[in-house]
Amino acid sequence: MDPMTLVLFAMFGLLIIMMMRKQKKTKAAAAEKRSKLAPGVEIMTNFGLFGKVLAIDEEENQIILEISPGTTATVHSQTVAKIIEPRGAEDISATVPNDASSLTLDLDKAPDAGESVDETLERLNKDNNKDN
């Protein structure tokens, strides 16, 4: 047997094995998605529609989504692209100040606080002349 023939068969076998692995991973991901899909779950469809699952019709392959309070849409079950995991409660007190003091401009900390009006105009004119 020719060594090139053996290499060709080995590459062909490797290609088949890789295709089978990809197909197995795809089936596992689809099965996991189906197991997580239930009423009350937030999802995103392939066309970018976000909503909460209200009902699932297995026979017709349809999902009824509530896209806003009181507004529903019926989509095919294969259009589910992603199941949105609920996020934990975030501590927003660290990012939101209790008063408006952080919203005011502190002129003492401004980078050009010691610069006069004439100096500022001169600096800006120099910067504009550099571009020309």
Side-chain angles (χ1 to χ4, degrees):
M1 217 183 235
D2 187 24
M4 288 300 283
T5 306
L6 289 175
V7 170
L8 182 66
F9 281 129
M11 290 178 66
F12 185 67
L14 184 65
L15 178 68
I16 290 175
I17 290 171
M18 296 298 278
M19 287 174 33
M20 288 173 44
R21 285 186 61 209
K22 183 175 181 180
Q23 188 177 34
K24 188 176 180 181
K25 285 182 181 180
T26 304
K27 282 184 181 180
E32 180 183 353
K33 193 184 299 182
R34 276 193 309 268
S35 69
K36 288 183 177 181
L37 195 61
V41 173
E42 300 261 338
I43 65 169
M44 181 185 80
T45 61
N46 288 339
F47 46 92
L49 186 67
F50 289 86
K52 184 186 290 187
V53 176
L54 292 180
I56 301 172
D57 185 4
E58 298 278 337
E59 292 179 8
E60 299 290 326
N61 290 328
Q62 293 179 346
I63 297 175
I64 299 174
L65 289 179
E66 182 180 34
I67 51 178
S68 66
T71 306
T72 60
T74 304
V75 296
H76 196 277
S77 61
Q78 290 180 344
T79 62
V80 176
K82 180 167 89 171
I83 295 177
I84 300 169
E85 300 293 330
R87 291 185 283 171
E90 297 176 3
D91 183 21
I92 61 170
S93 64
T95 58
V96 179
N98 291 338
D99 58 357
S101 64
S102 64
L103 302 176
T104 59
L105 182 61
D106 189 5
L107 296 177
D108 294 336
K109 294 182 181 178
D112 299 324
E115 195 172 60
S116 70
V117 175
D118 294 329
E119 292 172 336
T120 304
L121 286 174
E122 185 179 328
R123 181 178 50 84
L124 290 173
N125 285 331
K126 282 182 187 178
D127 289 344
N128 285 337
N129 290 335
K130 287 180 185 177
D131 295 337
N132 293 332

